[in-house]
Amino acid sequence: MRFLFPVFLAFSLAGCAGLPGQGPAAITITSEEIEGDAVSSDYVLLSLDRQTISAVHDYRPALFSRHFASVPGAGRSTRLGIGDRLVVTIWEAAPEGLFSTTDGKNVSVPVVVDEAGYIFIPYAGRIQANGLSVEGLRSSIQERLKGKAIEPQVLVLVEGNESSGVVVVGDVMKPGQYTMSVRGMRLLEAVARAGGSREATYETVVTVKRGSRSGEARLVDLIEYPENNIWLTPGDNVLVTHKPRTFSAFGAVQSTQLVPFKTESVTLAEGLAQVGGLKDFFADAGGIFLFRFEDRELVRRIRGDEVAQKFSKTKVPVVYKLNMRQAEAFFLARSFEMRDKDIIYVANHPTAEFGKFLQIIGPLLSSARTVDALATN
């Protein structure tokens, strides 16, 4: 039996690769074909050092406002449209005029732009209003009344700018349709008029749908980057949605789980702390990885054009590696901010698999000693 045991142990060690694990080892993710000059067709591996963190921190993604910058008519709206409620006031120079009354030499006529885009003014007939400015409609009415009224003077007042409305729905206090003034309306103003978001700004996403175009940004980004606070145009639809940010942790950590962001910003160090840190006797401190999708432009700035051109899509899978055997890594982890849907993975230490193997064969070793003892006696 003593001679059979070493043979059994040798065959068993050869099968250690088949033992259950918590994920790939660090040596698998950092193999030469990925860490060298060549880049995997699946992802890019980046060491998490000061230069990388600085590049990520300084990089500014494409602005939300660019989705709508080239759309014709974006900005302030001063045109009248179907459904607008107007008050047309007409003055005349003599008391015996068409629109003079016993109370004065003027009269106010409330009108609504009909489905064909016209309004009706007595003695002037149907006048097109859709698409005209307030001044354009005033001049048109005054021109039509010449020769009928005595030196007519006309004033047009917009009482309800119904055609210049935007719809705000979702997680706001007062969803509904809101009309913009002649001055126009910005996105944040529309959200504010709807009562604001029900949830925290960093957990709220604002989506603007304009025709076939759409774009979204977190509400906090509209405040942090004022250029994202775009001018709305009539007919825009604004959706405010509560989307909490989360990250996942796998591998040799104390608690494998989906973790919500509890504050506006969470660093990698805080993320590891929230899952209990590394697991004793299993974790490889040199194999801390963070998985996320980055803009191809950011990859180009860090690794150059040659690497960025290997990926056709605008989003590139990136794996950041951190070696926490170095003291500086703790400061780096404290500086690196996490994002929504990030994945933290802590690799197993190579000796961890051997520890599992010993746990498996422990009962066998005990049985072998018992049989050996009985055979000796």
Side-chain angles (χ1 to χ4, degrees):
M1 193 68 184
R2 292 176 181 175
F3 298 100
L4 291 177
F5 177 71
V7 177
F8 169 75
L9 182 60
F11 280 102
S12 299
L13 286 172
C16 279
L19 291 175
Q22 294 163 313
I27 193 172
T28 304
I29 301 179
T30 60
S31 62
E32 292 182 0
E33 61 177 332
I34 298 173
E35 201 169 32
D37 294 334
V39 177
S40 168
S41 59
D42 297 325
Y43 59 88
V44 177
L45 180 70
L46 299 175
S47 296
L48 204 57
D49 51 26
R50 290 186 180 276
Q51 291 74 21
T52 301
I53 291 179
S54 177
V56 174
H57 182 268
D58 295 339
Y59 176 72
R60 191 169 181 180
L63 293 174
F64 163 71
S65 57
R66 292 184 184 176
H67 290 278
F68 309 99
S70 60
V71 177
R76 301 182 177 97
S77 174
T78 60
R79 301 292 173 176
L80 299 173
I82 297 172
D84 286 352
R85 292 179 289 109
L86 313 173
V87 176
V88 179
T89 304
I90 305 170
W91 282 268
E92 290 190 87
E96 63 273 9
L98 292 173
F99 299 97
S100 299
T101 65
T102 55
D103 298 328
K105 295 183 291 185
N106 67 349
V107 66
S108 294
V109 182
V111 294
V112 177
V113 181
D114 63 22
E115 64 277 3
Y118 288 83
I119 62 172
F120 177 79
I121 300 295
Y123 302 102
R126 297 183 76 229
I127 301 174
Q128 183 175 358
N130 187 34
L132 294 179
S133 64
V134 173
E135 175 59 24
L137 179 60
R138 188 201 68 79
S139 299
S140 181
I141 296 173
Q142 189 166 293
E143 186 66 27
R144 294 282 288 271
L145 288 175
K146 285 182 178 180
K148 300 177 182 178
I150 302 173
E151 298 180 17
Q153 296 292 313
V154 177
L155 174 65
V156 177
L157 175 65
V158 180
E159 193 173 61
N161 202 7
E162 307 298 336
S163 65
S164 297
V166 296
V167 176
V168 184
V169 295
D171 296 319
V172 291
M173 302 301 293
K174 299 182 294 182
Q177 180 174 354
Y178 294 89
T179 60
M180 61 178 64
S181 64
V182 176
R183 174 184 67 84
M185 180 188 295
R186 288 188 180 270
L187 180 54
L188 272 177
E189 182 182 351
V191 175
R193 290 180 64 179
S197 171
R198 294 178 182 271
E199 307 294 339
T201 57
Y202 61 86
E203 290 188 344
T204 301
V205 172
V206 180
T207 304
V208 176
K209 181 73 173 178
R210 179 179 296 167
S212 60
R213 297 198 178 195
S214 65
E216 69 175 31
R218 291 206 170 262
L219 185 57
V220 67
D221 289 337
L222 303 183
I223 302 172
E224 200 163 325
Y225 306 110
E227 54 269 46
N228 284 335
N229 188 21
I230 62 172
W231 287 101
L232 298 176
T233 61
D236 280 354
N237 294 312
V238 180
L239 174 63
V240 180
T241 311
H242 179 223
K243 289 185 179 180
R245 297 174 299 168
T246 59
F247 70 90
S248 305
F250 299 96
V253 292
Q254 295 290 348
S255 177
T256 301
Q257 59 178 308
L258 180 68
V259 184
F261 280 49
K262 298 179 181 179
T263 56
E264 184 173 347
S265 62
V266 176
T267 64
L268 178 55
E270 293 170 337
L272 287 170
Q274 289 183 29
V275 295
L278 310 187
K279 183 177 291 186
D280 295 339
F281 309 113
F282 287 95
D284 181 1
I288 312 298
F289 300 93
L290 187 138
F291 296 74
R292 74 162 54 144
F293 286 92
E294 293 284 17
D295 289 346
R296 187 171 57 182
E297 174 61 21
L298 175 60
V299 175
R300 186 192 66 79
R301 295 185 184 183
I302 298 176
R303 294 294 299 268
D305 292 332
E306 184 178 352
V307 172
Q309 290 173 359
K310 294 180 181 292
F311 299 88
S312 59
K313 296 184 178 181
T314 57
K315 293 292 185 180
V316 177
V318 175
V319 181
Y320 293 101
K321 179 193 175 185
L322 182 67
N323 183 3
M324 297 199 76
R325 292 195 184 100
Q326 302 172 352
E328 185 187 21
F330 290 87
F331 295 99
L332 296 175
R334 184 175 178 270
S335 304
F336 190 71
E337 289 193 5
M338 299 185 63
R339 297 179 188 165
D340 188 27
K341 301 300 182 291
D342 276 355
I343 297 176
I344 296 176
Y345 173 73
V346 179
N348 288 330
H349 194 276
T351 59
E353 303 303 325
F354 182 67
K356 293 179 184 178
F357 169 73
L358 293 179
Q359 292 178 0
I360 294 174
I361 68 170
L364 297 178
L365 291 176
S366 178
S367 300
R369 294 193 189 97
T370 302
V371 172
D372 188 36
L374 292 175
T376 303
N377 294 332

